[in-house]
Amino acid sequence: MAAGTGKLARQLQAAGARTVAVEPSASMRAEGRRASPSTAVVAGSAEALPFSTGTFDLVAVAQAFHWFEPAPALHEMARILRPGGVLALVWNERETGPAWTVELNRIMHGAGDAPHQPVDQLRRTFDGDLHFTAFSRWTGHHDVAMDASEVEDMVASRSYVRVLAEHDRRSVLAQVRRLIASLPRPLVMPYTTVAYCAEVRPGPCPCR
């Protein structure tokens, strides 16, 4: 769901899953098809899914649930799951261990507000929904090696940076370039992955 350019879909395929990437943005769908021609990509939103009831074993949402209208989205995602099917909501959160990542966060926070609450606070928007059992929480740490252009692209891709006036956006990216100019390569970005998982409840939809 909200597959973007299909990064998670490709990872699930590599693990042996048959996947369908659902994305409302035409430009993102085009990029996803270009990056992975073997992945099925369809138009759709979480609140109105173009699938029959009981189609899938797993619905996965990476870095996107905070954009959804929770109640209709949870209803729809439960509807398309088979009995025993699982919903997984996943976020990657940057850590601030190394000093340069603390300064990077300062620059990014100065550019604007992140589009969602801290992930643990978001739990109240989905845990307790009658369509699903209680959500279990899983976390894992991983480091991502990045070159300078990848760090700059990561900052530039943030929605609150993209909507800045051109002069302000250039100023933010210039600060990022100055920060990382003298750092050893590759740059290592520490992340914590947080996932919440639950099974769809058996029986008729509780909305009825």
Side-chain angles (χ1 to χ4, degrees):
M1 292 304 311
T5 59
K7 290 180 181 178
L8 180 59
R10 290 191 290 276
Q11 290 176 317
L12 291 171
Q13 282 183 304
R18 290 186 299 133
T19 64
V20 179
V22 183
E23 169 56 45
S25 165
S27 61
M28 288 287 193
R29 293 196 301 272
E31 179 61 23
R33 292 187 180 104
R34 184 201 64 77
S36 182
S38 64
T39 301
V41 180
V42 301
S45 68
E47 298 82 4
L49 293 170
F51 304 112
S52 300
T53 298
T55 301
F56 297 102
D57 297 306
L58 169 70
V59 172
V61 183
Q63 213 77 10
F65 183 82
H66 49 274
W67 295 112
F68 300 168
E69 289 291 333
L74 289 163
H75 166 83
E76 277 290 270
M77 291 188 286
R79 181 184 65 79
I80 66 171
L81 283 167
R82 297 184 178 118
V86 172
L87 171 63
L89 307 176
V90 184
W91 286 269
N92 267 327
E93 297 289 293
R94 288 191 321 279
E95 298 176 10
T96 53
W100 78 273
T101 64
V102 176
E103 179 62 14
L104 180 67
N105 266 13
R106 186 196 66 77
I107 294 170
M108 295 177 71
H109 290 163
D113 294 326
H116 64 82
Q117 310 165 55
V119 172
D120 287 347
Q121 293 182 27
L122 279 167
R123 185 169 188 168
R124 64 174 177 258
T125 67
F126 55 82
D127 208 356
D129 184 86
L130 295 178
H131 297 85
F132 293 94
T133 60
F135 282 78
S136 59
R137 184 178 186 271
W138 176 92
T139 63
H141 171 86
H142 63 107
D143 293 326
V144 178
M146 307 174 77
D147 61 30
S149 64
E150 288 171 326
V151 174
E152 187 174 337
D153 288 346
M154 182 270 293
V155 175
S157 70
R158 294 298 184 264
S159 57
Y160 53 91
V161 175
R162 294 179 67 176
V163 299
L164 291 173
E166 181 64 19
H167 175 271
D168 294 332
R169 191 173 67 85
R170 288 181 179 179
S171 174
V172 169
L173 297 179
Q175 292 178 66
V176 173
R177 284 192 291 271
R178 286 194 295 271
L179 170 65
I180 64 180
S182 60
L183 295 175
R185 303 294 194 269
L187 299 160
V188 178
M189 185 76 75
Y191 281 92
T192 293
T193 298
V194 181
Y196 290 96
C197 303
E199 286 191 12
V200 66
R201 288 190 184 277
C205 176
C207 296
R208 295 172 184 168

